[in-house]
Amino acid sequence: MGKKITVDSATLFNKGLEVIEAHYLYGAEYDDIEILIHPQSIIHSMVETQDSSVLAQLGWPDMRLPILYTMSWPERIYCSEITWPRLDLCKLGSLTFKAPDNVKYPSMNLAYAAGRAGGTMTGVLSAANEKAVEMFIDEKISYLEIFKAVELTCDAHRSELVEHPSLEEIIHFDLWARDYTAGLKLSSGLSPALV
């Protein structure tokens, strides 16, 4: 999917952003959304129902399948074994899960906090992350500074947070977050100073 998604997977910002998506798409409260690390990348989502049973969506870790379904919805397109290998769970072996390390990967806590703050904060988080990842790819900041840049940008936005933003306000704060993040000068000690 490209460099941006690769970096988001490494920082686990992708998981934090998916928490915010799940909140808005399904109306789930943040306390009811849990992140699990699944190294095999076969189970893409799980939903626990009221009776405690869990429904899971399994598939190869390949974006072609969701894209195919998006293009064919509500139908499903038949894929032969030649064009798309079947998921053989016996050959795959075990499916494992572990809790995320929120100390090593503060991105998830940042995303939960932005989601709970609501309003323009989620857009600011996303825009700051996009800019910080771009700066990392361009070798302007270190890997660990991605987390710090996003945190500092979100902290700076708290005083201007708009709880029920218009489209114009969303666009304004998206651009503001990118500019603010780009203007941060982070030293090796991760202490911020505006350029």
Side-chain angles (χ1 to χ4, degrees), residues 9-61:
S9 295
T11 61
L12 295 183
F13 261 107
N14 62 333
K15 297 300 172 202
L17 294 168
E18 288 168 359
V19 165
I20 294 168
E21 290 172 1
H23 169 76
Y24 285 105
L25 288 173
Y26 305 111
E29 295 298 323
Y30 286 102
D31 291 339
D32 296 330
I33 303 170
E34 181 181 0
I35 297 172
L36 292 175
I37 304 303
H38 171 50
Q40 296 82 17
S41 300
I42 296 297
I43 298 179
H44 302 289
S45 63
M46 295 188 294
V47 176
E48 183 177 3
T49 65
Q50 291 181 28
D51 65 5
S52 78
S53 63
V54 177
L55 307 174
Q57 190 274 320
L58 287 72
W60 291 113

Side-chain angles (χ1 to χ4, degrees), residues 60 62 64-65 68 77-86:
W60 291 113
D62 189 316
R64 291 179 297 170
L65 188 57
L68 178 67
I77 294 176
Y78 173 77
C79 294
S80 74
E81 191 69 28
I82 296 168
T83 59
W84 194 264
R86 297 289 179 235

Side-chain angles (χ1 to χ4, degrees), residues 52-185:
S52 78
S53 63
V54 177
L55 307 174
Q57 190 274 320
L58 287 72
W60 291 113
D62 189 316
M63 287 304 293
R64 291 179 297 170
L65 188 57
I67 291 168
L68 178 67
Y69 185 56
T70 299
M71 292 172 29
S72 66
W73 186 87
E75 305 299 322
R76 294 264 184 189
I77 294 176
Y78 173 77
C79 294
S80 74
E81 191 69 28
I82 296 168
T83 59
W84 194 264
R86 297 289 179 235
L87 187 61
D88 187 338
L89 294 177
C90 290
K91 286 183 183 175
L92 182 66
S94 61
L95 301 175
T96 58
F97 304 92
K98 63 181 181 176
D101 183 341
N102 289 0
V103 174
K104 188 175 180 181
Y105 302 99
S107 50
M108 293 168 287
N109 287 341
L110 290 170
Y112 273 99
R116 287 185 172 107
T120 50
M121 188 63 78
T122 55
V124 164
L125 173 98
S126 179
N129 177 59
E130 285 185 22
K131 189 62 182 180
V133 169
E134 177 187 314
M135 292 165 65
F136 169 73
I137 291 168
D138 292 342
E139 299 181 3
K140 294 178 181 173
I141 64 172
S142 72
Y143 172 83
L144 293 176
E145 289 174 319
I146 295 171
F147 304 107
K148 197 64 179 173
V150 174
E151 179 182 23
L152 291 169
T153 302
C154 288
D155 286 347
H157 178 61
R158 289 192 192 288
S159 63
E160 296 187 73
L161 175 74
V162 178
E163 288 186 28
H164 303 286
S166 65
L167 179 58
E168 291 77 18
E169 289 168 318
I170 292 169
I171 293 169
H172 167 76
F173 285 111
D174 177 279
L175 296 172
W176 172 87
R178 292 169 196 277
D179 289 343
Y180 187 90
T181 305
L184 288 171
K185 182 175 181 182

